[in-house]
Amino acid sequence: MDVAANLDTILSHIKQSCNKSNRNPEEITIIGVTKYVTIERTEETIKAGITNLGENRLEGFQEKYNHFNNRAKWHFIGTLQSRKVKEVVDQVEAIHSLDRLSLAKEIDKRASKQVNCFIQVNVSGEESKHGINPKDLLPFVRELAPYPNVRVVGLMTMAPHINDEQHLRKIFRDLAALRDMIRDSNFSHASCEFLSMGMSNDYQIAVEEGATHIRIGSKLVG
Ligand SMILES: *Cc1c(COP(=O)(O)O)cnc(C)c1O
């Protein structure tokens, strides 16, 4: 399928989910995850109107960034090793995987401007998942205050790859409640308005539960 046709389907699903949950589709940013696809397919994605792109590995990010540069806004969505921070930090619209203080320190040190960061939270509690434990979130946000280049714009989670709708809904709802808690704490370094959650398998549920950034790979470009 071409990307434009896939996008039509996704947009109509988003509309349905917004109707159900009384939301405005304009609140939702689709991040096209191009990690598995070629430059050509990425070109097609940009031409279909997707201008926010996500990559989860440094090599993939650099290949696409060097080719497309500011034709897209780049989201780093994968685990980021501290020694690689300097290679992405000034190029990206946002980092979605802030999960430890050492990474925040490195971002602060290497960036020449403020960096939009989503804190990755392991809501599902799966051991294989990265992200900080929900109970450590508030202290972690407090610890980030001394690093002026780190702006906490939202929270991110990855749900397990399951089809249990109630379970997925609970994970997204839990992340939304954590977001509310941080946002309503009014930290000057952590406006925390956004929710990066929902992928090909579960984005409709995520939108119903308040996602502002959905990260879609296979159903868009696959
Ligand atoms: C690969 C990936 C996605 C997209 O996954 P799909 O299931 O292909 O939509 C979203 N978020 C992260 C962090 C990823 O690594």
Side-chain angles (χ1 to χ4, degrees):
M1 289 286 273
D2 58 43
V3 175
N6 291 338
L7 179 59
D8 277 348
T9 306
I10 291 166
L11 289 172
S12 76
H13 287 158
I14 291 174
K15 212 169 155 194
Q16 281 171 18
S17 298
C18 283
N19 284 340
K20 269 198 195 170
S21 53
N22 243 319
R23 299 189 63 205
N24 181 349
E26 286 174 18
E27 297 167 11
I28 294 143
T29 300
I30 300 173
I31 299 172
V33 177
T34 48
K35 65 188 182 193
Y36 300 126
V37 302
T38 59
I39 293 284
E40 290 70 34
R41 192 72 166 162
T42 305
E43 175 78 41
E44 193 190 332
T45 307
I46 294 173
K47 286 201 171 127
I50 297 290
T51 52
N52 286 274
L53 297 181
E55 285 284 333
N56 69 336
R57 295 180 58 242
L58 180 64
E59 296 70 26
F61 165 71
Q62 286 179 323
E63 184 202 2
K64 305 267 176 27
Y65 181 82
N66 291 338
H67 189 89
F68 296 104
N69 207 286
N70 57 16
R71 288 179 62 204
K73 291 179 182 165
W74 300 94
H75 296 258
F76 200 88
I77 61 174
T79 308
L80 186 54
Q81 289 170 277
S82 293
R83 64 190 169 83
K84 297 186 173 172
V85 164
K86 60 179 181 301
E87 319 272 355
V88 307
V89 78
D90 280 336
Q91 283 88 336
V92 294
E93 172 73 12
I95 292 172
H96 290 242
S97 48
L98 176 57
D99 62 354
R100 58 196 191 279
L101 189 60
S102 57
L103 180 59
K105 286 182 181 173
E106 188 67 12
I107 292 170
D108 185 61
K109 182 166 139 193
R110 299 291 182 178
S112 57
K113 55 181 186 331
Q114 293 188 332
V115 183
N116 298 324
C117 297
F118 290 79
I119 297 175
Q120 184 169 355
V121 186
N122 184 356
V123 184
S124 70
E126 279 183 298
E127 279 194 29
S128 61
K129 289 275 187 292
H130 289 273
I132 74 161
N133 191 307
K135 72 172 168 31
D136 299 326
L137 178 63
L138 184 59
F140 181 60
V141 172
R142 289 208 170 97
E143 283 181 325
L144 298 176
Y147 305 100
N149 285 334
V150 176
R151 311 310 297 174
V152 178
V153 298
L155 303 182
M156 179 274 219
T157 202
M158 281 179 81
H161 204 82
I162 53 169
N163 290 318
D164 178 346
E165 184 183 321
Q166 287 318 313
H167 189 181
L168 291 168
R169 208 174 274 289
K170 166 129 184 17
I171 288 169
F172 296 143
R173 218 168 259 180
D174 287 352
L175 192 72
L178 291 167
R179 187 275 315 265
D180 293 351
M181 184 259 294
I182 302 298
R183 184 190 58 195
D184 298 345
S185 302
N186 292 316
F187 294 107
S188 59
H189 66 291
S191 58
C192 204
E193 39 200 314
F194 299 124
L195 280 173
S196 172
M197 60 189 194
M199 318 194 334
S200 290
N201 188 45
D202 53 24
Y203 69 89
Q204 290 159 276
I205 304 168
V207 168
E208 287 170 30
E209 298 302 333
T212 62
H213 294 67
I214 56 178
R215 310 177 308 268
I216 307 193
S218 47
K219 288 222 172 130
L220 180 68
V221 300

Coordinates of all heavy atoms in Angstrom, one line a residue, residues 9-75:
T9 N -6.3 6.0 6.1 CA -7.0 5.0 7.0 C -6.7 5.5 8.5 O -7.6 5.5 9.3 CB -6.4 3.6 6.8 OG1 -6.6 3.3 5.4 CG2 -7.1 2.6 7.7
I10 N -5.4 5.8 8.7 CA -5.0 6.2 10.1 C -5.8 7.5 10.5 O -6.3 7.6 11.6 CB -3.5 6.4 10.2 CG1 -2.8 5.1 10.0 CG2 -3.1 7.1 11.5 CD1 -1.3 5.1 9.8
L11 N -5.9 8.4 9.6 CA -6.6 9.7 9.9 C -8.0 9.5 10.2 O -8.6 10.1 11.1 CB -6.4 10.7 8.8 CG -5.0 11.3 8.6 CD1 -4.9 12.2 7.3 CD2 -4.6 12.2 9.8
S12 N -8.6 8.5 9.5 CA -10.1 8.3 9.7 C -10.2 7.6 11.1 O -11.2 7.8 11.8 CB -10.8 7.6 8.6 OG -10.4 6.2 8.6
H13 N -9.3 6.7 11.4 CA -9.3 6.1 12.7 C -9.2 7.1 13.9 O -9.8 7.0 14.9 CB -8.2 5.0 12.9 CG -8.5 3.8 12.1 ND1 -7.5 2.9 11.7 CD2 -9.7 3.2 11.6 CE1 -8.1 1.9 11.1 NE2 -9.4 2.1 11.0
I14 N -8.2 8.0 13.6 CA -8.0 9.1 14.6 C -9.3 9.9 14.8 O -9.7 10.2 16.0 CB -6.8 10.0 14.2 CG1 -5.5 9.2 14.3 CG2 -6.7 11.2 15.1 CD1 -4.3 10.0 13.8
K15 N -9.9 10.2 13.7 CA -11.2 11.0 13.8 C -12.2 10.2 14.6 O -12.9 10.8 15.5 CB -11.7 11.2 12.4 CG -12.4 12.5 12.2 CD -12.6 12.8 10.8 CE -13.8 13.7 10.6 NZ -14.3 13.8 9.2
Q16 N -12.4 8.9 14.3 CA -13.3 8.1 15.1 C -13.0 8.1 16.6 O -13.9 8.3 17.4 CB -13.3 6.7 14.7 CG -14.0 6.3 13.4 CD -13.7 4.9 12.9 OE1 -13.2 4.1 13.7 NE2 -13.9 4.6 11.7
S17 N -11.7 7.9 16.9 CA -11.3 7.9 18.3 C -11.5 9.2 19.0 O -11.9 9.3 20.2 CB -9.9 7.5 18.4 OG -9.7 6.2 17.9
C18 N -11.3 10.3 18.2 CA -11.5 11.7 18.8 C -13.0 11.9 19.0 O -13.4 12.5 20.0 CB -11.0 12.7 17.8 SG -9.2 12.9 18.0
N19 N -13.8 11.4 18.1 CA -15.3 11.6 18.3 C -15.7 10.9 19.6 O -16.5 11.4 20.4 CB -16.1 11.0 17.1 CG -16.0 11.9 15.9 OD1 -15.7 13.1 16.1 ND2 -16.3 11.4 14.7
K20 N -15.2 9.7 19.8 CA -15.6 8.9 21.0 C -15.2 9.6 22.2 O -15.9 9.5 23.3 CB -14.8 7.5 20.9 CG -15.5 6.4 20.3 CD -14.8 5.1 20.8 CE -15.1 3.9 19.9 NZ -14.3 2.8 20.3
S21 N -14.0 10.3 22.2 CA -13.5 10.8 23.4 C -13.6 12.3 23.5 O -12.9 12.9 24.4 CB -12.0 10.3 23.6 OG -11.3 10.7 22.4
N22 N -14.3 12.9 22.6 CA -14.5 14.3 22.6 C -13.2 15.1 22.5 O -13.0 16.1 23.2 CB -15.2 14.7 24.0 CG -16.5 15.4 23.7 OD1 -16.7 16.1 22.8 ND2 -17.5 15.0 24.6
R23 N -12.4 14.7 21.6 CA -11.1 15.4 21.4 C -11.1 16.0 20.0 O -11.9 15.6 19.1 CB -9.9 14.5 21.5 CG -9.9 13.8 22.9 CD -8.6 13.1 23.1 NE -7.4 14.0 23.0 CZ -6.2 13.6 22.6 NH1 -6.0 12.3 22.3 NH2 -5.2 14.5 22.6
N24 N -10.1 16.9 19.8 CA -9.9 17.6 18.5 C -8.7 16.9 17.8 O -7.6 16.9 18.4 CB -9.6 19.0 18.8 CG -9.4 19.8 17.5 OD1 -9.3 19.2 16.4 ND2 -9.3 21.1 17.6
P25 N -8.9 16.3 16.6 CA -7.8 15.7 15.9 C -6.6 16.5 15.8 O -5.5 16.0 15.7 CB -8.4 15.3 14.6 CG -9.9 15.2 14.8 CD -10.2 16.3 15.9
E26 N -6.8 17.8 15.8 CA -5.6 18.7 15.6 C -4.6 18.7 16.8 O -3.5 19.1 16.7 CB -6.1 20.2 15.4 CG -6.6 20.3 14.0 CD -7.2 21.7 13.7 OE1 -6.9 22.6 14.5 OE2 -8.0 21.8 12.8
E27 N -5.1 18.1 17.9 CA -4.2 18.0 19.1 C -3.2 16.9 18.9 O -2.3 16.7 19.8 CB -5.0 17.6 20.3 CG -6.0 18.7 20.8 CD -7.0 18.1 21.8 OE1 -6.7 17.0 22.4 OE2 -8.0 18.8 22.1
I28 N -3.4 16.1 17.8 CA -2.6 14.9 17.7 C -1.5 15.0 16.6 O -1.9 15.3 15.5 CB -3.5 13.6 17.5 CG1 -4.3 13.5 18.8 CG2 -2.7 12.4 17.2 CD1 -5.7 13.0 18.6
T29 N -0.3 14.7 17.0 CA 0.8 14.7 16.0 C 1.1 13.3 15.7 O 1.4 12.5 16.6 CB 2.1 15.4 16.7 OG1 1.7 16.8 17.0 CG2 3.2 15.4 15.7
I30 N 1.1 13.0 14.4 CA 1.6 11.7 14.0 C 3.1 11.7 13.7 O 3.5 12.5 12.9 CB 0.8 11.2 12.7 CG1 -0.7 11.2 12.9 CG2 1.4 9.9 12.2 CD1 -1.5 11.0 11.6
I31 N 3.8 10.8 14.4 CA 5.2 10.7 14.1 C 5.4 9.4 13.2 O 5.0 8.3 13.7 CB 6.0 10.5 15.4 CG1 5.9 11.8 16.3 CG2 7.5 10.3 15.1 CD1 6.4 11.7 17.7
G32 N 5.8 9.6 12.0 CA 6.0 8.5 11.1 C 7.4 7.8 11.5 O 8.4 8.5 11.4
V33 N 7.3 6.6 11.9 CA 8.5 5.9 12.3 C 9.1 5.2 11.1 O 8.5 4.2 10.6 CB 8.2 4.9 13.5 CG1 9.5 4.1 13.9 CG2 7.7 5.7 14.7
T34 N 10.2 5.7 10.7 CA 10.8 5.2 9.4 C 12.0 4.3 9.6 O 12.8 4.0 8.7 CB 11.3 6.4 8.6 OG1 12.1 7.3 9.4 CG2 10.1 7.2 8.1
K35 N 12.1 3.7 10.8 CA 13.3 2.9 11.2 C 13.5 1.7 10.3 O 14.6 1.3 10.2 CB 13.3 2.5 12.7 CG 12.1 1.6 13.0 CD 12.0 1.4 14.5 CE 10.9 0.4 14.9 NZ 10.6 0.4 16.3
Y36 N 12.5 1.1 9.8 CA 12.6 -0.1 9.0 C 12.7 0.2 7.5 O 12.8 -0.7 6.7 CB 11.4 -1.0 9.2 CG 11.3 -1.5 10.6 CD1 10.0 -1.3 11.2 CD2 12.3 -2.1 11.3 CE1 9.9 -1.8 12.5 CE2 12.1 -2.6 12.6 CZ 10.9 -2.4 13.2 OH 10.7 -2.8 14.5
V37 N 12.5 1.5 7.1 CA 12.3 1.7 5.6 C 13.4 2.5 5.0 O 14.2 3.2 5.7 CB 10.9 2.3 5.3 CG1 9.8 1.4 5.9 CG2 10.8 3.7 5.9
T38 N 13.4 2.5 3.7 CA 14.5 3.2 2.9 C 14.3 4.7 2.8 O 13.2 5.2 3.2 CB 14.4 2.6 1.4 OG1 13.1 2.9 0.9 CG2 14.6 1.1 1.4
I39 N 15.3 5.3 2.2 CA 15.2 6.7 1.9 C 14.0 7.0 0.9 O 13.2 8.0 1.1 CB 16.5 7.2 1.2 CG1 17.7 7.1 2.2 CG2 16.3 8.6 0.6 CD1 17.7 8.2 3.2
E40 N 13.8 6.1 0.0 CA 12.7 6.3 -1.0 C 11.3 6.3 -0.3 O 10.5 7.1 -0.5 CB 12.7 5.2 -2.1 CG 13.9 5.3 -3.0 CD 15.2 5.0 -2.4 OE1 15.3 4.1 -1.5 OE2 16.2 5.6 -2.8
R41 N 11.2 5.3 0.6 CA 9.9 5.2 1.3 C 9.7 6.4 2.3 O 8.6 6.9 2.5 CB 9.9 3.9 2.1 CG 8.5 3.5 2.6 CD 7.5 3.0 1.6 NE 6.4 2.4 2.2 CZ 5.2 2.2 1.6 NH1 5.0 2.6 0.3 NH2 4.2 1.5 2.2
T42 N 10.8 6.9 2.8 CA 10.7 8.0 3.7 C 10.3 9.3 2.9 O 9.5 10.1 3.3 CB 12.1 8.2 4.4 OG1 12.4 7.0 5.1 CG2 12.0 9.4 5.4
E43 N 10.9 9.4 1.7 CA 10.5 10.5 0.8 C 9.0 10.5 0.5 O 8.3 11.5 0.6 CB 11.3 10.3 -0.6 CG 10.9 11.3 -1.7 CD 11.6 12.7 -1.4 OE1 12.8 12.7 -1.0 OE2 10.9 13.7 -1.7
E44 N 8.5 9.3 0.3 CA 7.1 9.1 0.0 C 6.2 9.6 1.3 O 5.2 10.2 1.1 CB 6.8 7.6 -0.3 CG 5.4 7.4 -0.9 CD 5.1 5.9 -1.0 OE1 6.0 5.1 -1.1 OE2 3.9 5.5 -0.9
T45 N 6.8 9.3 2.4 CA 6.1 9.6 3.7 C 6.0 11.1 3.8 O 5.0 11.7 4.2 CB 6.9 9.0 4.9 OG1 7.0 7.6 4.6 CG2 6.1 9.2 6.2
I46 N 7.1 11.8 3.6 CA 7.1 13.3 3.7 C 6.2 13.9 2.6 O 5.4 14.8 2.9 CB 8.6 13.8 3.5 CG1 9.5 13.4 4.6 CG2 8.6 15.3 3.4 CD1 10.9 13.7 4.5
K47 N 6.2 13.3 1.4 CA 5.3 13.8 0.4 C 3.8 13.6 0.7 O 3.0 14.3 0.3 CB 5.6 13.2 -1.0 CG 6.9 13.7 -1.5 CD 7.0 13.5 -3.0 CE 8.2 14.3 -3.6 NZ 9.1 13.4 -4.4
A48 N 3.5 12.5 1.5 CA 2.2 12.3 1.9 C 1.7 13.3 3.0 O 0.5 13.4 3.3 CB 2.0 10.9 2.4
G49 N 2.7 14.1 3.5 CA 2.3 15.1 4.4 C 2.8 14.9 5.9 O 2.4 15.7 6.8
I50 N 3.5 13.8 6.1 CA 4.0 13.5 7.4 C 5.4 14.2 7.6 O 6.3 13.9 6.9 CB 4.2 12.0 7.6 CG1 2.9 11.3 7.6 CG2 4.9 11.7 9.0 CD1 1.9 11.6 8.7
T51 N 5.4 15.2 8.4 CA 6.7 16.0 8.6 C 7.3 15.8 9.9 O 8.4 16.3 10.2 CB 6.4 17.5 8.4 OG1 5.3 17.8 9.2 CG2 6.0 17.8 6.9
N52 N 6.7 14.9 10.8 CA 7.4 14.5 12.0 C 7.8 13.1 11.8 O 7.0 12.2 11.6 CB 6.5 14.7 13.2 CG 6.3 16.1 13.6 OD1 7.1 16.7 14.3 ND2 5.3 16.7 13.0
L53 N 9.1 12.8 11.9 CA 9.6 11.5 11.7 C 10.4 11.0 12.9 O 11.1 11.8 13.6 CB 10.5 11.4 10.4 CG 9.9 11.8 9.1 CD1 10.9 11.7 8.0 CD2 8.7 10.9 8.8
G54 N 10.3 9.7 13.1 CA 10.9 9.1 14.3 C 11.9 8.0 13.9 O 11.6 7.2 13.0
E55 N 13.1 8.0 14.6 CA 14.1 7.0 14.4 C 14.5 6.5 15.8 O 14.6 7.3 16.7 CB 15.3 7.5 13.6 CG 15.0 7.7 12.1 CD 15.0 6.4 11.3 OE1 15.7 5.4 11.8 OE2 14.4 6.3 10.3
N56 N 14.9 5.3 15.9 CA 15.2 4.7 17.2 C 16.7 4.4 17.3 O 17.1 4.0 18.4 CB 14.4 3.5 17.6 CG 14.7 2.3 16.7 OD1 15.2 2.4 15.6 ND2 14.4 1.1 17.2
R57 N 17.5 4.5 16.2 CA 18.9 4.2 16.3 C 19.7 5.3 15.7 O 19.2 6.0 14.7 CB 19.2 2.9 15.7 CG 18.5 1.7 16.4 CD 18.8 0.3 15.8 NE 20.3 0.1 15.7 CZ 21.0 -0.1 14.6 NH1 20.4 -0.1 13.4 NH2 22.2 -0.4 14.6
L58 N 20.9 5.5 16.2 CA 21.7 6.7 15.8 C 22.0 6.5 14.3 O 21.9 7.5 13.5 CB 23.0 6.7 16.5 CG 24.0 7.8 16.1 CD1 23.3 9.2 16.4 CD2 25.3 7.7 16.8
E59 N 22.3 5.4 13.8 CA 22.7 5.2 12.4 C 21.6 5.5 11.5 O 21.7 6.3 10.5 CB 23.2 3.7 12.1 CG 24.4 3.3 12.9 CD 24.2 3.2 14.4 OE1 23.1 2.9 14.9 OE2 25.2 3.4 15.2
G60 N 20.4 5.0 11.8 CA 19.2 5.3 11.0 C 18.9 6.8 11.0 O 18.5 7.4 10.0
F61 N 19.0 7.4 12.2 CA 18.7 8.8 12.3 C 19.7 9.6 11.4 O 19.2 10.5 10.6 CB 18.8 9.3 13.7 CG 18.9 10.8 13.9 CD1 17.8 11.5 13.6 CD2 20.1 11.4 14.2 CE1 17.9 12.9 13.6 CE2 20.2 12.8 14.3 CZ 19.1 13.5 14.0
Q62 N 20.9 9.3 11.5 CA 21.9 10.1 10.7 C 21.7 9.9 9.3 O 21.8 10.9 8.5 CB 23.3 9.7 11.2 CG 23.7 10.2 12.5 CD 25.0 9.8 13.0 OE1 25.5 8.7 12.8 NE2 25.7 10.7 13.7
E63 N 21.5 8.7 8.8 CA 21.3 8.5 7.4 C 20.1 9.4 6.9 O 20.2 10.1 5.9 CB 21.0 7.0 7.1 CG 20.9 6.7 5.6 CD 20.1 5.4 5.3 OE1 19.6 4.8 6.3 OE2 20.0 5.1 4.1
K64 N 19.0 9.3 7.6 CA 17.8 10.1 7.1 C 18.0 11.6 7.3 O 17.6 12.4 6.5 CB 16.6 9.6 7.9 CG 16.3 8.1 7.8 CD 15.4 7.7 6.7 CE 15.2 6.2 6.5 NZ 15.4 5.3 7.6
Y65 N 18.6 11.9 8.4 CA 18.8 13.4 8.7 C 19.7 14.0 7.7 O 19.5 15.1 7.2 CB 19.4 13.6 10.1 CG 19.5 15.1 10.4 CD1 18.5 15.8 10.9 CD2 20.8 15.7 10.2 CE1 18.6 17.2 11.1 CE2 20.9 17.0 10.5 CZ 19.8 17.8 10.9 OH 20.0 19.1 11.1
N66 N 20.8 13.3 7.3 CA 21.7 13.8 6.4 C 21.1 14.0 5.0 O 21.4 14.9 4.2 CB 23.0 12.9 6.2 CG 23.8 13.0 7.5 OD1 23.7 14.0 8.3 ND2 24.6 12.0 7.7
H67 N 20.1 13.1 4.7 CA 19.4 13.2 3.4 C 18.3 14.3 3.4 O 18.2 15.1 2.5 CB 18.8 11.9 3.1 CG 18.3 11.8 1.7 ND1 19.1 11.4 0.6 CD2 17.1 12.1 1.2 CE1 18.4 11.5 -0.5 NE2 17.1 11.9 -0.2
F68 N 17.5 14.3 4.4 CA 16.3 15.2 4.4 C 16.4 16.5 5.2 O 15.7 17.4 4.9 CB 15.1 14.4 4.9 CG 14.7 13.2 4.1 CD1 15.0 11.9 4.5 CD2 14.1 13.4 2.9 CE1 14.6 10.8 3.7 CE2 13.7 12.3 2.1 CZ 14.0 11.0 2.5
N69 N 17.3 16.4 6.2 CA 17.6 17.6 7.0 C 16.3 18.3 7.5 O 15.5 17.6 8.0 CB 18.5 18.5 6.1 CG 19.3 19.4 7.0 OD1 18.8 20.4 7.6 ND2 20.6 19.1 7.1
N70 N 16.2 19.6 7.2 CA 15.0 20.3 7.8 C 13.7 20.2 6.9 O 12.8 20.9 7.2 CB 15.4 21.7 8.1 CG 15.9 22.5 6.9 OD1 15.7 22.0 5.7 ND2 16.5 23.6 7.1
R71 N 13.7 19.2 6.1 CA 12.4 18.9 5.4 C 11.5 18.2 6.4 O 10.3 18.0 6.2 CB 12.5 18.1 4.2 CG 13.1 18.9 3.0 CD 13.3 18.0 1.8 NE 12.0 17.5 1.3 CZ 11.9 16.4 0.5 NH1 13.0 15.7 0.2 NH2 10.7 16.0 0.1
A72 N 12.0 17.7 7.5 CA 11.2 17.0 8.5 C 11.7 17.5 9.9 O 12.8 18.0 10.1 CB 11.3 15.5 8.4
K73 N 10.8 17.2 10.9 CA 11.2 17.4 12.3 C 11.5 16.0 12.8 O 10.7 15.1 12.6 CB 10.0 18.0 13.1 CG 9.8 19.4 12.8 CD 8.6 19.9 13.6 CE 8.3 21.4 13.2 NZ 6.9 21.7 13.8
W74 N 12.6 15.9 13.5 CA 13.1 14.5 13.9 C 12.9 14.2 15.4 O 13.2 15.1 16.2 CB 14.6 14.5 13.6 CG 14.8 14.7 12.1 CD1 15.1 15.9 11.5 CD2 14.7 13.7 11.1 NE1 15.1 15.7 10.1 CE2 14.9 14.4 9.8 CE3 14.4 12.4 11.0 CZ2 14.8 13.7 8.6 CZ3 14.3 11.7 9.8 CH2 14.5 12.4 8.6
H75 N 12.4 13.0 15.6 CA 12.1 12.6 17.0 C 13.0 11.4 17.3 O 12.9 10.4 16.5 CB 10.6 12.2 17.1 CG 9.7 13.4 16.9 ND1 9.1 14.1 18.0 CD2 9.3 14.0 15.8 CE1 8.4 15.1 17.5 NE2 8.5 15.1 16.2

